[in-house]
Amino acid sequence: MTDTLTPTLLPLGDRGLLIRFAESLSDDANRAAIGFAARVEAAGVRGVVEIVPNLVSVLLRYEPGAIGFDALAGEVRLLVSAPGQPAAGDAEHRVTVHFDGEDLSEVAGLVRLLVADFIAAHNAAPLRVLATGFAPGFIYCGMHPEALVVPRRGVVRRQVPAGTVLFAAGQTAITSTAIPTGWHVIGHTEFRNFDPAAEPPTTVRAGDSVAFVAS
Amino acid sequence: MSAIRITRAGPLATLQDAGRPGLLRHGISASGPMDRTAFERAGVWLGAAGATGIEFTTAGLGFVAEGSVSIAVDGGSFELSIDGEAKSWPSRALLSAGSIVDIRPGPAGNYGYLRFDREIDVPLVMGSRATSSIAGIGGLDGRALRAGDVLPLGATLPRGRGQHPTPATVADGPIRVIRGIHADRFSNAIRQRFVTDAFAVSPQLDRMGVRLADPGQVFAEAKILSLVSDAVVPGDIQILGDGTPIVLMRDHQPTGGYPRIATVVTADLDRFSQLRPGTQVRFAPVTVAHAEGLKP
């Protein structure tokens, strides 16, 4: 699957190379980005100081004293077309959710389900972690089936606390710090993915799977 | 053991060190000094400086030494007095217990740096003592300094060979940029005007970003919707939904979904951070290969 998408290579500043697999979010492009990030990590490319998988792209930050953009782009092209995949070591997480969010009944109404049926539909299948990095420990999980897709809210909430379970755009997201958000609040959880005293400070990685369970 | 007691601090005075790069996937931007070269110069004057220093703004800084300590200051152009006696800028001094230091804004710059011949004794958070104003971590309890704070200082570092402080020559001329990851989403006319029209630093600036005034309304018509978010780097220039350009700085959001027309080259970001509100800014495009070889 990964090999069928030919990415675009772009500079991001003078110390970054962005490998973009698509212009919009799709499951294929997301898998391609996460898979490619794992491949670069396994290959250990000289001069690369940070590998950041995004929703449909990967940022490689590099040290120009060790490698230039053109040379790194060459390495990237070789890795994109190289056969084989790194072994999938993707972890599974179980997240207990208290479905008591302020927007829960509105969201259920938007998808024409009773609240209990919405919760059942939401938890029906494990989701994949599509991306991390929006805020400390924040994770995007997706994709829900088409019938559960709702747009973002019109109004941004100034702050929701850590452990808020958010829903929009075919995804469920979990906060680990207080953030502003334009997503619907459908519940909260004791699950946390950020501990500044731990190494690494977050443990959920893009590509992991998350099973949601109602409390 | 020595310490300093803060008597006056602006709302944005923070502890900074080299920052915590490499944590974008965890949702944490690197932080670190807004003007890294000025921060490094203050360390050079001391010869051996603790890795952590204080970054202060045009609100200035006042403190009392509680024990003897060597300090150096640099960055922008501020007015320094020690026990009521005016000193030059940049400067290096040996303080004795009870010395009163007062730093007030001078003619130029947004950020100044105070460094010591020893480490500031606050906990390391993810390998750094830098304050992240966006994540609320590091420094002193993840917050800005305020009057009454006491910063304990560690043991004196092995003496280094310091230098007599001399004012830096700051380059002027346009801020150099690399084509942004969404440059192709803007029309040719807008891309052209971005590097020919003048912008200005607005009063809305902090460690996260600097909003620009756009008197020519270059971006008034740039309507770009629904981009998939990507990781952000310092210097990214994103255009908000209302057409406001904003240059993302050291405490930047780790990811962003607004279109980015350009990224300020690493070598010019320190200089850019010191431009005061009202200063005219022009951007000049350079190639990545050129930018990679530039020194700040």
Side-chain angles (χ1 to χ4, degrees), chain A residues 90-99 122-123 125-127 129 139 141 165 174 188-193 203-204 208-215:
Chain A
D90 303 333
E92 290 173 18
H93 308 272
R94 187 182 153 96
V95 174
T96 300
V97 177
H98 308 281
F99 283 92
H122 177 277
N123 297 352
L127 299 180
V129 177
I139 55 174
C141 308
V165 180
I174 305 172
H188 77 278
T189 176
E190 281 79 37
F191 182 84
R192 293 291 184 278
N193 182 39
T203 49
V204 180
D208 286 358
S209 109
V210 174
F212 291 95
V213 184
S215 63

Side-chain angles (χ1 to χ4, degrees), chain A residues 44-140:
Chain A
V45 181
R46 146 186 77 98
V48 171
V49 294
E50 183 170 15
I51 302 163
V52 193
N54 304 304
L55 281 166
V56 296
S57 69
V58 178
L59 170 65
L60 302 182
R61 282 184 51 252
Y62 63 94
E63 183 45 61
I67 195 167
F69 180 87
D70 291 339
L72 181 55
E75 299 281 343
V76 164
R77 287 192 191 95
L78 287 175
L79 281 171
V80 166
S81 56
Q85 292 282 334
D90 303 333
E92 290 173 18
H93 308 272
R94 187 182 153 96
V95 174
T96 300
V97 177
H98 308 281
F99 283 92
D100 56 3
E102 287 178 65
D103 303 328
L104 180 65
S105 55
E106 184 191 339
V107 166
L110 284 170
V111 297
R112 298 172 187 281
L113 289 174
L114 297 171
V115 166
D117 294 337
F118 168 77
I119 293 169
H122 177 277
N123 297 352
L127 299 180
R128 221 157 44 77
V129 177
L130 304 177
T132 62
F134 168 74
F138 187 95
I139 55 174
Y140 292 101

Side-chain angles (χ1 to χ4, degrees), chain B residues 257-280:
Chain B
Y258 288 110
R260 290 175 239 170
I261 190 163
T263 302
V264 175
V265 303
T266 305
D268 284 356
L269 198 59
D270 292 339
R271 172 163 72 95
F272 175 77
S273 77
Q274 294 286 15
L275 301 179
R276 284 192 175 169
T279 309
Q280 196 182 82

Side-chain angles (χ1 to χ4, degrees), chain A residues 11-15 20 23-25 41 50-51 54-55 57 62 68-69 132-137 194 196 201-202 205, chain B residues 22-28 125-126 135 178 181-182 185 228-231 233 236 254-255 260 263 265-266 288 291-292:
Chain A
L12 178 44
D14 51 19
R15 291 181 171 32
R20 184 192 278 156
E23 300 284 336
S24 59
L25 177 57
E41 204 165 317
E50 183 170 15
I51 302 163
N54 304 304
L55 281 166
S57 69
Y62 63 94
F69 180 87
T132 62
F134 168 74
F194 178 54
T202 76
R205 293 170 64 99
Chain B
L23 296 174
L24 283 178
R25 71 158 66 182
H26 301 286
I28 295 153
V125 178
M126 290 175 274
I178 288 164
I181 56 170
H182 305 117
R185 299 292 191 106
V228 187
S229 68
D230 285 306
V233 298
D236 271 343
T255 67
R260 290 175 239 170
T263 302
V265 303
T266 305
V288 174
E292 284 173 344

Side-chain angles (χ1 to χ4, degrees), chain B residues 166-182:
Chain B
T166 50
T169 45
V170 180
D172 53 11
I175 298 294
R176 292 164 293 185
V177 294
I178 288 164
R179 180 189 172 87
I181 56 170
H182 305 117

